[in-house]
Amino acid sequence: EAGRLKVWRADVTDRELPAGEWSYDGTHLCVGTGGNALRLLEVQAEGSRRMDAGAWANGHRGTLPALRL
């Protein structure tokens, strides 16, 4: 179980992703909203410190779909 991911900073993109779908291209971590996706900029996993979303995603590629925002 991956736990919760708190989003501290995010931008709205012009990219469309289905709600709950994750996308990570090695630089940008995005999550779908059913409309324009959110590009996550700064996140905090349960029991962890705040960090850059791209750096966090590099260590969690296999667990992205299991997360809850």
Side-chain angles (χ1 to χ4, degrees), residues 8-55:
W8 286 96
R9 291 187 310 121
D11 284 336
V12 177
T13 70
D14 58 358
R15 183 174 179 191
E16 292 188 18
L17 283 174
E21 184 174 310
W22 293 85
S23 171
Y24 182 61
D25 64 6
T27 305
H28 299 108
L29 176 62
C30 295
V31 64
T33 64
N36 290 10
L38 291 177
R39 182 177 62 209
L40 307 184
L41 302 172
E42 186 177 12
V43 298
Q44 182 178 6
E46 277 185 306
S48 190
R49 62 180 176 80
R50 288 166 64 160
M51 64 188 320
D52 175 80

